[in-house]
Amino acid sequence: MNRMKNTTDFEFLREFRCSCGRTHRTLVEDVIIENGAIGKLPELLARYRAGNVFLLADANTYQAAGEKVCEILTTADIPCTSYIYPTSPEPDEYAVGACMMHFSPGCDIIIAVGSGVINDISKIVSHISGKPYVIVATAPSMDGYASSTSSMTMDGLKISLPSTCPRAIVGDIDILKQAPTRMLQSGLGDMLAKYISICEWRISHIITGEYYCETIADMVRSALKKCTDHADGLLNREDEAVQAIFEGLIVGGVAMSYAGLSRPASGVEHYFSHIWDMRALEFGTKMDLHGIQCAVGTLIAARLYEQIQTVTPDREKALAYVKNFDLAHWNSRLREFLGKSAEAMITLEHKEHKYDPDLHAARLEIILDRWEEILAIIRQEVPSSQQIKQILCHIGAPTAAADIGIDPADLPMTFAATKDIRNKYVLSRLAWDLG
């Protein structure tokens, strides 16, 4: 059992045999979270025997930390070439292509300076080039730092691409706490999403037999509690609050690596965000930071879970609903709502067959038989929508779709479309199964 080196008050195992029957692994070796952490970069690079750096940042993250990183490397006589995006890049194939065209193939290691998009691009470039990389975080804004996938847009569809975990994550509290307020709110918003993700993971385990690990789930729950316990200090940029959020986000990424899937950290609330992103790309509608959108999606999901607890499952109603479900009509609505990105979702159904009446009937029998257990999970995992709203209000974060420029009239279709994004059992699929 190899333990990560870190300077936090929690400790990860890089590899361990779990009571769930699986061996969990993460490729992250070092986590440094402290004031002045970037000063340890030369020591870190020496340990990796890396003497030639390729640095990736954008104009904002270079100003926030990249320039300081370059100064540290120069002082340590470590050669460094760089590519700085002139504006904040979009997470798409064009941004990856631009980086690869400026990439220095003679480097030993990639240092990414930034948060969500820069991190995702760097993970892909590391995967393609075979070069290890280190992320110097500039904001505690999302949970992808330690994950082994990159959230990207390809051909207009939000997808998770297999990529490479960072060798090390450097979180300098002095830098992180200077992040824009919206990014601090985004980080807590991405953590609040874990209420829904753990709930849906457990529900899917019951209904579809999907793999579930209580050890991983409990790790995420503990990190989430620490974040909410310190939420009061976030807007004051207190070290303890910023560190709690950043650690929680790292836990979310490690949990996904352990599980080998995104279940521990994302559910239907993330799919709200993905739908809004796709519509923004297709139609120019409003979009916000991923964690902000996830926070609003979490609050909407909590309200929907409150509604679903008032439902009494009806076998005949559900079977009749599915019998009369017109897939061609539904696909037409998807195309109208999402444009070209709907095509990949429609194609996915050809492989998945979630709308197959026989498969639905089998799921329905499980739901009917274990409905009380499902309700108990919802009550155990998801706080009241009022509690979630209070947390968001306390940190000044948006609490409604309209607050982030989303037309409330689009929410029913947004919710219905979330069931088609991935082969993952989430609340919208449970609602469809219930008719």
Side-chain angles (χ1 to χ4, degrees), residues 65-119:
E67 189 172 10
K68 180 65 174 176
V69 169
C70 288
E71 290 174 3
I72 290 170
L73 297 177
T74 298
T75 301
D77 293 324
I78 299 173
C80 176
T81 57
S82 63
Y83 175 59
I84 313 300
Y85 290 97
T87 58
S88 298
E90 294 296 327
D92 57 24
E93 52 265 75
Y94 304 104
V96 174
C99 181
M100 290 305 300
M101 290 182 72
H102 291 87
F103 184 68
S104 174
C107 71
D108 300 313
I109 199 164
I110 301 164
I111 294 182
V113 181
S115 56
V117 176
I118 292 294
N119 185 56

Side-chain angles (χ1 to χ4, degrees), residues 303-315 317-318 364 367-368 370-372 374-375 378-379 415 427 430-435:
R303 288 172 176 154
L304 291 170
Y305 271 113
E306 288 169 349
Q307 291 182 33
I308 213 158
Q309 290 181 71
T310 69
V311 169
T312 300
D314 184 322
R315 178 184 286 103
K317 175 185 175 182
L364 180 61
I367 293 168
L368 292 167
R370 303 184 68 175
W371 185 242
E372 290 304 318
I374 291 168
L375 292 179
I378 297 170
R379 290 190 290 266
F415 175 61
L427 174 58
L430 176 60
W432 189 86
D433 278 349
L434 290 169

